[in-house]
Amino acid sequence: MSEPILQITNLTKSYSGVKALDGVELTLEAGEVHALMGENGAGKSTFMKILIGLVNPDSGEIVFDGKILGNGGVRDIDRKGISMIHQEILLIPELTVAQNIYLGREKEISGSKLGWLNDGVINAKAKELLTQLDVDIAPTTRMKQLSVAQMQMVEIAKAISNDARVLIMDEPTSAISDREVATLFRIIRDLKSRGVAIIYISHKMDEIFQISDTITVLRDGKYVGTKKASDLDSATLISMMVGREITNLYPDSVAQRGRSVLKVRDLGKKGVFANINFEVHAGEILGIAGLMGAGRTEIARVIYGLDRPDQGEVYIDDVPVRILSPDDALRHGIGYVSEDRKGLGFIPQMSVLQNMTLSSLANHRQGIFINAKSENSATHEMVSDLKIKSAGVGQQVTQLSGGNQQKVVIGKVLLASPKVVILDEPTRGVDVGAKFEIYKLIRSLTEKGIAVVMISSELPEVMGMSDRVMVLSKGKQTAMLSKELATQALIMKYAVE
Amino acid sequence: MENNIQTRFKNFGQYGIFIAFALLCLVLAMITPRFFTVSNLMTIGNQVSINALLAFGVTFVIITGGIDLSLGSMVAVTGVVAASFAHPDTYPLIVPVLLGLAAGSGMGAFNGLVITKSKVPPFIVTLGTMTIGRGLALIWSNGRPISNLSDSFNFIGGGNILGIPFPIIILIIAFVVCSIILNKTVLGRYMYAVGGNEPAARASGIRVTRVKMWVYSICGLLSAMGGILLTSRITTGQPNAGAGFELDAIAAAIIGGTSTSGGTGTMTGTLMGALLIGVISNSLDLLNVTSYYQQVVMGAIIIGAVVLDGMGKEKR
């Protein structure tokens, strides 16, 4: 093999005495896709932050292209050819695709020292670039009109235009549909053939094995090992990541199916979805599957009162209810855990405790005052029930790991004593260990007689957890499958119908 | 991991103002013997009281992610309304006081109503009501000061109880009540939630509209208290009174660590901010610095406070 493009040895970084990274190493060859795996908190983000120059390491060496990579800041490292496609898209919505790609480099591109803008040149260059990547996006489109997947393509194009030789992708498929994943992978393979090395971070096992050549695993900030993807299977990989074996990711159901709790009749919203009919019983999990844009989240939002329907009725315990706001929904016993944890899940400035009781403060009030004692005991009970790991209930919620943040949001909904809980992508951005715990938690809800609606893009999850699966395609309900019938092939068939 | 650095900076944000305030007082006590006299401290308390009341109100608003530019106009409207019912031997004291408070909280409620129903940003809405309020005060008073107020009314802003100026007593009571609202009540918790992440607050079942109505009304009520204090102190209802007061109040809240992006802030911080502003302008007076320079100093302090606050955040 030729000289590696990137060689990192013995990287160490501590934050106030706590080692976030301890002797981490990584060797990256040109034209390889190198997966970086590890649970949340394993040190992946710190590692990448160091690599792109956002954070300085305490010790260790990074050799890029035969030379030691000094830290001249993010911009310098970006120019040297190491770029990162962020989990949260960092483009400017009001500017066009071309303007975003060449943002900050207008002078060089337009060839004007004074900084006169030449949109013609920029557009032409961007068009060339996008054609090269075989991406069908007009350079004059405004960013805000694009889908998440398209924005990602633009970010990649931007990195390529910068002659990136190492491209870091952080959870690139967390918000895009299966079809878009296929396009992304085609582009990744194309980049590989041009000698670009890719560091690929994801929690999705099937993707990792599909796309990566080499896999490096971190655990608790330490380097666990590097293996060829072809020498690994998912069970081995998971045990490397969590340091123990998880035999059955989806716990068995022992819950009894009870009476009908939530019933939806002919629910519709113009241009989004129509004629949705389903029923969920106490102790039952109804899975909702479908591609991105099939209307899954939109249905949940209408049932929870975040949006208004144009037609149809919602029944709780067989009684029709009128839900105009989340406040109404909660009072009728409907809880909702959003897919958008940061946007709709928690209040970033608030503590674990303050977040968890937000939907149930009515239970802890004495007149206008909050009864701190009862609030505290309810929270502590829920924290230990859900096994939330924090420095204490007073810790700010943003300091928790993704999995624990998700548990806080779920805990908030549970404290409001719902009869039915709608979970929208409950394990998005959550690592394997925490996923397993969330699955157990969902099972325990059904054992308490709560009805669960689970929306998920991960088919194995839908099939592993659901008692029945409703499949949506373009806003239409195309199938209602029992657990026995719900195979991956059949779900996909109805999802693209 | 990063928590320690973060808390260290956050702690500086919380306690920095106390340290700055203590240092300032120490220096002043050394260079001007007149600073640490009972009469001077009472003067400062008296001067600070009106700004602090307004600042408490706007702190609630800023915590919910809003802003209120109509504070000064609410002071003026309250002042002329109260004054016109406070002439000697007309109505009992309670009438001008209640009508004044009603005028202020009514204007505040109007702000809240327009902001929640129209979705127009609070900055624009309250910029509008600032001008409307000023106009209403001029219309009500025919553009002339309303004087000849009863002694009992003038006691509010000028009287003493056991040697303590009445405005200081009102200030302390308001501070305690506002702190309790913010820290101990459901409404206070909801204010932080709405300002921290409004969509998430709504999705958590909080009736955001109701919270905002309360917040702007309370802000109006506190401005009205400031308006009555001012009118009583200058023994005249001035339609032009209170112009620019909103800026001092917002400055006090910001210097005290309330973030303009919402979700954070404390009444203690705001009180310290108001005291700091009060002490600085008092000391510049004592040191015979002309008011022109005072404005420059005050502006620099506002920017400095926010820069410090921003430095704390960047480290996250």
Side-chain angles (χ1 to χ4, degrees), chain A residues 15 304 342 359 370 375 412, chain B residues 1 184 189 197 203-204:
Chain A
Y15 288 105
Y304 190 60
K342 271 188 193 155
S359 293
I370 298 171
E375 188 189 21
K412 173 181 76 180
Chain B
M1 283 197 298
K184 302 283 179 202
R189 180 72 59 81
N197 183 349
S204 297

Side-chain angles (χ1 to χ4, degrees), chain A residues 15-16 18 20 46 49 304-307 324-327 330-331 342-350 353-354 357-359 361-362 365 368-370 375 395-396 399 412, chain B residues 1-8 10 180-181 183-207 261-264 316:
Chain A
Y15 288 105
S16 354
V18 182
T46 311
K49 276 183 195 162
Y304 190 60
L306 282 164
D307 295 323
L324 302 173
S325 68
D327 169 51
L330 282 163
R331 258 184 296 124
K342 271 188 193 155
L344 288 181
F346 56 75
I347 314 289
Q349 295 91 339
M350 283 191 162
L353 176 132
Q354 291 170 332
T357 55
L358 211 49
S359 293
L361 271 185
R365 70 195 299 171
I368 61 166
F369 296 105
I370 298 171
E375 188 189 21
Q395 193 179 17
Q396 205 175 331
Q399 295 175 349
K412 173 181 76 180
Chain B
M1 283 197 298
E2 276 158 316
N3 307 358
N4 275 354
I5 309 170
Q6 194 178 321
T7 35
R8 211 175 295 155
K10 222 169 126 191
I180 290 175
I181 290 176
N183 297 317
K184 302 283 179 202
T185 68
V186 176
L187 179 64
R189 180 72 59 81
Y190 286 175
M191 290 179 194
Y192 283 115
V194 168
N197 183 349
E198 188 173 326
R202 188 167 115 81
S204 297
I206 295 173
R207 278 172 276 187
S261 44
T264 52
R316 283 175 203 185

Side-chain angles (χ1 to χ4, degrees), chain A residues 200-231:
Chain A
Y200 192 93
I201 301 174
S202 173
H203 285 120
K204 297 185 186 164
M205 290 289 159
D206 48 336
E207 274 175 20
I208 293 293
F209 285 107
Q210 216 181 322
I211 195 75
S212 59
D213 306 302
T214 322
I215 300 175
T216 289
V217 177
L218 301 184
R219 188 173 66 229
D220 302 328
K222 293 198 182 70
Y223 173 78
V224 176
T226 301
K227 293 245 165 76
K228 277 212 154 101
S230 51
D231 296 343

Side-chain angles (χ1 to χ4, degrees), chain B:
Chain B
M1 283 197 298
E2 276 158 316
N3 307 358
N4 275 354
I5 309 170
Q6 194 178 321
T7 35
R8 211 175 295 155
F9 265 91
K10 222 169 126 191
N11 286 347
F12 181 79
Q14 272 167 10
Y15 302 119
I17 186 154
F18 289 99
I19 299 167
F21 185 70
L23 279 177
L24 181 72
C25 290
L26 201 69
V27 171
L28 288 172
M30 285 191 295
I31 55 176
T32 62
R34 268 194 299 158
F35 177 74
F36 247 123
T37 57
V38 172
S39 78
N40 188 48
L41 293 182
M42 291 297 177
T43 309
I44 296 174
N46 228 334
Q47 283 171 346
V48 160
S49 58
I50 293 170
N51 184 31
L53 288 174
L54 269 57
F56 294 155
V58 85
T59 299
F60 286 125
V61 171
I62 298 176
I63 283 175
T64 60
I67 193 77
D68 193 340
L69 299 178
S70 62
L71 304 176
S73 296
M74 292 196 282
V75 165
V77 171
T78 307
V80 293
V81 169
S84 57
F85 291 94
H87 299 303
D89 308 320
T90 48
Y91 301 95
L93 177 61
I94 191 79
V95 173
V97 169
L98 282 186
L99 287 176
L101 295 180
S105 26
M107 274 184 75
F110 179 77
N111 278 332
L113 195 69
V114 178
I115 287 163
T116 51
K117 293 295 168 212
S118 72
K119 311 283 175 208
V120 173
F123 186 92
I124 312 285
V125 172
T126 58
L127 188 65
T129 49
M130 172 174 113
T131 311
I132 294 173
R134 188 64 61 194
L136 289 178
L138 288 163
I139 293 168
W140 182 277
S141 63
N142 278 322
R144 282 190 293 270
I146 303 173
S147 49
N148 183 27
L149 309 182
S150 71
D151 288 343
S152 59
F153 187 82
N154 289 339
F155 177 83
I156 300 172
N160 294 302
I161 293 179
L162 302 171
I164 304 169
F166 196 58
I168 296 183
I169 295 172
I170 291 181
L171 167 68
I172 293 169
I173 295 172
F175 170 69
V176 171
V177 171
C178 289
S179 296
I180 290 175
I181 290 176
L182 206 48
N183 297 317
K184 302 283 179 202
T185 68
V186 176
L187 179 64
R189 180 72 59 81
Y190 286 175
M191 290 179 194
Y192 283 115
V194 168
N197 183 349
E198 188 173 326
R202 188 167 115 81
S204 297
I206 295 173
R207 278 172 276 187
V208 174
T209 304
R210 197 180 282 191
V211 173
K212 288 189 178 173
M213 283 301 298
W214 272 111
V215 161
Y216 285 96
S217 307
I218 293 174
C219 183
L221 180 70
L222 283 157
S223 303
M225 287 168 66
I228 291 173
L229 273 188
L230 180 71
T231 308
S232 163
R233 179 183 301 160
I234 60 177
T235 66
T236 333
Q238 281 276 10
N240 290 316
F245 277 23
E246 56 278 347
L247 299 181
D248 279 343
I250 294 167
I254 290 172
I255 292 173
T258 307
S259 157
T260 45
S261 44
T264 52
T266 61
M267 284 300 158
T268 315
T270 297
L271 178 65
M272 295 306 292
L275 285 175
L276 198 69
I277 291 175
V279 166
I280 288 171
S281 67
N282 171 265
S283 59
L284 295 175
D285 279 342
L286 290 184
L287 295 168
N288 292 322
V289 178
T290 63
S291 65
Y292 305 156
Y293 286 99
Q294 291 194 16
Q295 297 193 20
V296 176
V297 171
M298 212 57 81
I301 289 171
I302 294 170
I303 296 174
V306 179
V307 168
L308 273 181
D309 189 48
M311 270 161 60
K313 269 184 202 140
E314 239 168 63
K315 296 290 162 188
R316 283 175 203 185

